[in-house]
Amino acid sequence: MALGKYSRVDNRRQNSSYCSTVTITVFVGFCLVGVWMMTSSSVVPGQGVDVPAQENKNEVKQQVPESNEINPKQPEDSPGDLPEDATQGDSSTPEEKPEEKPKEIPEEKPEEIPEEKPEEKPEEKPEDKPEEKPEEKSNEDTKSDDGSTTETQNGGTNAEDGDTKINNGETNTKDGGTKPDDGESNAAGQGDSEENSTEKKPGTDETETKLGENTGEGEDGETGNDKIDEKVDQKDSKEADKSSDGQANNQSSGELLPSGAQSELLNETTTQSGSWSTQSAESKNEKETQKSSNQQGGYSWKLCNVTAGPDYIPCLDNWQKIRSLHSTKHYEHRERHCPEEPPTCLVPLPEGYKHPIEWPTSREKIWYHNVPHTKLAQIKGHQNWVKVTGEFLTFPGGGTQFKHGALHYIDFINESVPDIAWGKQTRVILDVGCGVASFGGYLFDRDVLAMSFAPKDEHEAQVQFALERGIPAISAVMGTKRLPYPGRVFDAVHCARCRVPWHIEGGKLLLELNRVLRPGGFFVWSATPVYQKLAEDVEIWQAMTKLTKAMCWELVSINKDTINGVGVATYRKPTSNDCYEQRSKQEPPLCEASDDPNAAWNVPLQACMHKVPVDSLERGSQWPEQWPARLGKAPYWMLSSQVGVYGKPAPEDFTADYEHWKRVVSNSYLFGIGINWTSVRNAMDMRSVYGGFAAALKELNVWVMNVITVDSPDTLPIIYERGLFGIYHDWCESFSTYPRSYDLLHADHLFSKVKKRCSMEAVFAEVDRILRPEGKLIVRDNVETINELENMARSMQWEVRMTYSKDKEGLLCVQKSMWRPRESETLTYAIA
């Protein structure tokens, strides 16, 4: 029994020992397996960084033939030779489906890694790689959407709603895909280094596609001088490779695929971060987003509540200042009186406002609701100025002195004085007291530019009618100050019943015309004293005869137009000082030698005459070449010994500027930024230099008001010399024009300079005032200023058509909307 018992116990002990041995063996085996698995899992990712694993080698074998199909010019694919966009395009859709879109390679970015790939790689086999491509394409589309909200290391911001933003050659395209909740996350842990595909997707509009194609070609070869070289620099792609998580990728690609055109192997290294962004990237993006949000939230636009309503001109409707004037004898109340602080409110639209009728139809008719004024039609309708015809205001082409049409009157003047030679000898003229500017409007048919002006007076909205018709004009008056033009620039001056008392106070006003009239130029005077015999007319004619003789003006012709029943007297300014020196009386006197005839910004009028230049190299001593030859040649008085605005000898500077703007306009502006130029008639270059932008638009039915800012080099005489026109202005004040005057505004490095002296908010409100709804603003400036302006434009609900930046320089194109704020702001100084 006992033995039996013990025997059983021993057997149990033996069995127990056996089970323990097996258990221990199994446990040790599992441990070894676990250690092996842990070791294996820790090694594989490391191979993805430094030495490709076997799986990667298999992928290489599969990808190399595809590489040859994608880019037949493989020897040119080294990073040093490729265009920037090509070296940035390693992982976009075309590389994964090369047989479908090999041509898209130059537009792709190098660090484009789908979010889900790092999770799929440990499970996929090399032979399954081709089957994964459709899913990868889908992932990349999503990635592009996410990436469009990512700021690049170079400070780029987001482009939304079909806009394209290019930052140092990199394009972010918002194509309507899924947007991250926070609007700022970066896929695959790339943080700030993410770059997005510029491939055209279903949600991308034509404008985006054009931008991607043309912005790289727009300004090849441009020099410095604050100009943007629109063609992408082929060396900048290396900057994108410096991002934190993208460095390993680029190292691998450099070893495995010297072409840099495929991204399959690059994706393997992203398992380091997986689908999660870095905290650095998240924090940076959040701070940038908050900053952008704060900037946009800082603008609170309101409507201007003023007496002038939709026709408000801040410097001409300052009733507080007008009421304080001691006298209005010299039309002081029609001159500029700007408020101490320029307004930041927005001018309302007239009720029923429509998109303006396009030129040349607009010369004959405009929408009544755009300029809803009928007083002038009632007063001047019988003279064929303007008539109300249904929903239109129509312009028969007449005027006080040419009831039967401006063209007949224009040709009559040329027949009376053949030396005028419209469009050849005479190219740029000044039309004083222009009315609705029919004279200037029909001079376009004779290749003549007319700078027309008239005061904002009881002839309600006459200049506004002109601008709505597509005819250049400004609101101005001959009062106590010089006109905002240089001396000796107009080929002719015209006055048809302009109601200016030329003969009074020593002829001070006529002497102002003498200042701006080119030596040898003509003064064409069509007024009742020329052909009527009423006592007052006779008295004025005698006074004018005496004055013009004392000024040494030659009476070239007096002729009567039998059709219109008016007479025209034409005078010519002398081309030498002989007559001045031979006068028995020095009245009017010659100006002091220190008096600068070009000084014209808020300079009081003086009753004196400037001597005529006689030095053969001095401006005004020779007549310019005939039009159009004068447009493209540097004026004879620009000398190589002079230094131009951009630092070159003056003639070279002029030529370089002209060539630059021809390239920009032809390669970028005409086709690359989505502007329909048939809808552009009235344009302004807000900071012109030599007039190159205007000259480059010569073949279009567009006229350009060239503005020389008062703090810029005075190059306005050069602009006139080449057969263009312009004006002096300070953008810290409002421009002397009605609201909704221009179809297009162009500002080349204006805003970054202006904001040093005055409020950017006020300047942009002025841009909104003078630009028509659906009008375009093109800005070239530094990136900081571009971003600020883009935020302002968005806060006004303007459409951002295109942004581009490179080397801290940017290009912005925005379109004004019909939006107006609901709240209003009363400007007490503008209440009559």
Side-chain angles (χ1 to χ4, degrees), residues 128-185:
D128 294 334
K129 183 68 178 181
E131 299 176 3
E132 291 294 320
K133 290 182 180 180
E135 182 177 352
E136 291 170 4
K137 177 179 177 66
S138 175
N139 291 342
E140 290 207 13
D141 289 346
T142 304
K143 174 65 182 303
S144 179
D145 295 339
D146 296 343
S148 67
T149 64
T150 303
E151 294 193 1
T152 66
Q153 288 183 343
N154 296 315
T157 54
N158 304 334
E160 301 176 351
D161 301 328
D163 310 326
T164 299
K165 169 157 280 190
I166 307 170
N167 297 299
N168 291 333
E170 303 153 4
T171 306
N172 294 338
T173 305
K174 185 75 174 179
D175 64 14
T178 303
K179 184 176 180 179
D181 293 339
D182 59 0
E184 63 202 21
S185 63

Side-chain angles (χ1 to χ4, degrees), residues 182-202:
D182 59 0
E184 63 202 21
S185 63
N186 295 298
Q190 291 302 300
D192 299 340
S193 68
E194 295 282 327
E195 309 302 334
N196 302 313
S197 170
T198 57
E199 172 190 355
K200 185 176 181 181
K201 298 171 186 161

Side-chain angles (χ1 to χ4, degrees), residues 305-328 331-341 343 375 455-458 460 734 738 826-832:
N305 180 22
V306 294
T307 300
D311 300 333
Y312 177 49
I313 306 176
C315 289
L316 297 181
D317 292 318
N318 187 350
W319 288 99
Q320 184 178 33
K321 183 66 176 178
I322 292 173
R323 283 192 293 264
S324 66
L325 293 174
H326 299 295
S327 171
T328 59
Y331 302 95
E332 291 90 343
H333 57 305
R334 307 297 186 195
E335 293 183 319
R336 289 171 59 86
H337 302 286
C338 299
E340 294 183 5
E341 294 293 331
K375 183 177 179 180
K456 188 177 184 183
D457 59 10
E458 66 274 10
E460 188 180 50
S734 72
Y738 281 85
T826 299
L827 304 180
T828 56
Y829 58 80
I831 302 298

Side-chain angles (χ1 to χ4, degrees), residues 66 183 253 364 370 393 402 445 465 588-589 671 753:
E66 295 179 5
S253 76
E364 279 73 43
N370 287 12
L393 292 169
F402 40 92
D445 291 357
F465 284 137
F671 308 107
K753 299 180 184 300

Side-chain angles (χ1 to χ4, degrees), residues 725-737:
F725 62 14
I727 192 171
Y728 295 118
H729 184 60
D730 183 354
W731 284 112
C732 291
E733 303 176 0
S734 72
F735 194 75
S736 294
T737 192

Side-chain angles (χ1 to χ4, degrees), residues 473-487:
I474 65 166
S475 291
V477 67
M478 299 199 69
T480 65
K481 299 177 182 179
R482 288 180 176 177
L483 296 171
Y485 313 115

Side-chain angles (χ1 to χ4, degrees), residues 114-363:
E115 291 182 335
E116 287 76 21
K117 277 192 176 182
E119 299 174 1
E120 297 171 357
K121 290 300 177 182
E123 299 177 3
E124 84 178 19
K125 299 178 181 179
E127 60 272 19
D128 294 334
K129 183 68 178 181
E131 299 176 3
E132 291 294 320
K133 290 182 180 180
E135 182 177 352
E136 291 170 4
K137 177 179 177 66
S138 175
N139 291 342
E140 290 207 13
D141 289 346
T142 304
K143 174 65 182 303
S144 179
D145 295 339
D146 296 343
S148 67
T149 64
T150 303
E151 294 193 1
T152 66
Q153 288 183 343
N154 296 315
T157 54
N158 304 334
E160 301 176 351
D161 301 328
D163 310 326
T164 299
K165 169 157 280 190
I166 307 170
N167 297 299
N168 291 333
E170 303 153 4
T171 306
N172 294 338
T173 305
K174 185 75 174 179
D175 64 14
T178 303
K179 184 176 180 179
D181 293 339
D182 59 0
E184 63 202 21
S185 63
N186 295 298
Q190 291 302 300
D192 299 340
S193 68
E194 295 282 327
E195 309 302 334
N196 302 313
S197 170
T198 57
E199 172 190 355
K200 185 176 181 181
K201 298 171 186 161
T204 306
D205 59 19
E206 286 186 21
T207 301
E208 282 184 70
T209 304
K210 288 181 179 179
L211 301 181
E213 294 172 356
N214 291 293
T215 53
E217 301 174 358
E219 301 170 48
D220 183 21
E222 291 174 20
T223 59
N225 314 320
D226 291 336
K227 298 291 185 281
I228 300 172
D229 202 351
E230 297 238 321
K231 184 170 183 179
V232 177
D233 191 343
Q234 298 186 1
K235 296 181 181 180
D236 286 350
S237 61
K238 295 182 181 179
E239 296 178 3
D241 297 337
K242 296 179 181 178
S243 55
S244 58
D245 295 315
Q247 291 178 345
N249 300 346
N250 294 324
Q251 291 171 1
S252 297
S253 76
E255 295 172 4
L256 300 173
L257 294 173
S259 67
Q262 282 75 34
S263 63
E264 312 301 328
L265 293 175
L266 302 186
N267 293 340
E268 293 295 327
T269 66
T270 63
T271 55
Q272 296 164 337
S273 298
S275 298
W276 299 276
S277 178
T278 64
Q279 179 59 219
S280 173
E282 291 173 350
S283 299
K284 178 180 178 181
N285 290 334
E286 175 61 22
K287 286 184 286 186
E288 294 294 337
T289 300
Q290 290 182 6
K291 180 180 178 181
S292 176
S293 177
N294 291 337
Q295 285 180 335
Q296 292 191 33
Y299 304 116
S300 179
W301 305 106
K302 297 181 180 179
L303 280 182
C304 298
N305 180 22
V306 294
T307 300
D311 300 333
Y312 177 49
I313 306 176
C315 289
L316 297 181
D317 292 318
N318 187 350
W319 288 99
Q320 184 178 33
K321 183 66 176 178
I322 292 173
R323 283 192 293 264
S324 66
L325 293 174
H326 299 295
S327 171
T328 59
K329 178 181 178 182
H330 298 99
Y331 302 95
E332 291 90 343
H333 57 305
R334 307 297 186 195
E335 293 183 319
R336 289 171 59 86
H337 302 286
C338 299
E340 294 183 5
E341 294 293 331
T344 56
C345 54
L346 309 183
V347 176
L349 296 177
E351 186 176 352
Y353 182 86
K354 299 181 180 180
H355 182 78
I357 296 172
E358 294 180 1
W359 181 270
T361 306
S362 61
R363 185 168 60 178

